[in-house]
Amino acid sequence: MPEAERVAVFDNDGTLWCERPLPVQLDFVLRRLVEMIAADPALGDREPWRAARERDTAWLAGAFTDHYAGDDRKLEVMAKGVLAAHAGVSVEDFEQLAEQFLRTATHPTLGRPYLQCAYRPMVELLDHLAANGFANYIVSGGGRDFMRPISDELYRVPRERVIGSTTTLAYAAGPNGGTITHTPVPDYLDDGPQKPIRI
């Protein structure tokens, strides 16, 4: 009987790459929320659009702090904006937007491209484990489809080994075949007790 493959599982934000002052994907979403205000200025008076426009990191970070303290009120408000940000965007278009952002945007305080914000010792650990027979996985509260375009290049973790939060997807038939799009409905938040279930 062949020896079972050994598995190593890693979080992403704060473990493999930086998450301060805010998680990388939140910067991606905040920029989209600001674009949404340009199309509908009334959104600018509501959270989290107001916080996005004003770069109110205290309110945004507070949503996470409160969440980990057991209070999800702000996180639920933020989630509505996060889910609305890419509703109706096809899976392929979302991946292109995420990859373009990750290749061109810079970290707000470090001043370097996001793809240069991975923690080198952690990448070296991933390489060491892979060289010694481990199958590395990323299991993150961040978006699965946000991380997959760069996981192989950045961490040498194949995209199919990236587990993360996701929205519900919808299929729409069209004249040249169908399109799978993101909806404003969560599928699951890969955080807390959900992580071991997803693993």
Side-chain angles (χ1 to χ4, degrees):
M1 176 177 243
E3 184 179 328
E5 185 174 50
R6 295 181 293 177
V7 172
V9 179
F10 292 83
D11 182 37
N12 188 46
D13 295 308
T15 301
L16 297 180
W17 71 11
C18 59
E19 71 172 340
R20 298 289 181 206
L22 293 170
V24 174
Q25 187 172 0
L26 189 53
D27 186 13
F28 173 67
V29 172
L30 294 178
R31 293 175 193 220
R32 173 65 188 131
L33 296 180
V34 172
E35 290 173 4
M36 293 173 76
I37 294 170
D40 182 1
L43 289 173
D45 298 327
R46 296 172 35 204
E47 299 295 5
W49 288 270
R50 182 211 58 83
R53 182 188 65 221
E54 296 176 11
R55 284 300 214 188
D56 185 350
T57 55
W59 188 92
L60 296 162
F64 292 100
T65 302
D66 292 353
H67 165 69
Y68 289 115
D71 181 355
D72 282 341
R73 288 176 293 177
K74 278 187 184 177
L75 192 65
E76 288 169 5
V77 170
M78 184 186 298
K80 289 179 183 175
V82 169
L83 292 167
H86 294 98
V89 175
S90 74
V91 170
E92 294 83 6
D93 288 347
F94 180 86
E95 184 163 315
Q96 288 178 358
L97 290 169
E99 183 171 9
Q100 180 182 11
F101 169 81
L102 289 166
R103 293 191 183 286
T104 61
T106 57
H107 188 279
T109 57
L110 298 177
R112 65 175 63 168
Y114 276 122
L115 290 185
Q116 293 179 16
C117 292
Y119 296 134
R120 186 172 296 162
M122 295 304 292
V123 174
E124 291 171 356
L125 175 59
L126 288 167
D127 289 341
H128 175 75
L129 290 170
N132 286 280
F134 281 83
N136 294 324
Y137 284 76
I138 297 172
V139 182
S140 175
R144 173 196 68 201
D145 299 329
F146 181 75
M147 296 176 285
R148 282 184 169 177
I150 51 84
S151 66
D152 200 4
E153 174 185 343
L154 195 58
Y155 304 127
R156 286 164 290 290
V157 172
R159 61 186 296 122
E160 64 271 12
R161 291 188 190 164
V162 175
I163 302 166
S165 300
T166 185
T167 62
T168 300
L169 302 175
Y171 176 79
N176 298 322
T179 303
I180 298 174
T181 61
H182 292 265
T183 74
V185 179
D187 186 5
Y188 59 88
L189 176 62
D190 191 46
D191 194 33
Q194 285 295 318
K195 281 194 177 186
I197 293 168
R198 297 297 159 195
I199 293 170

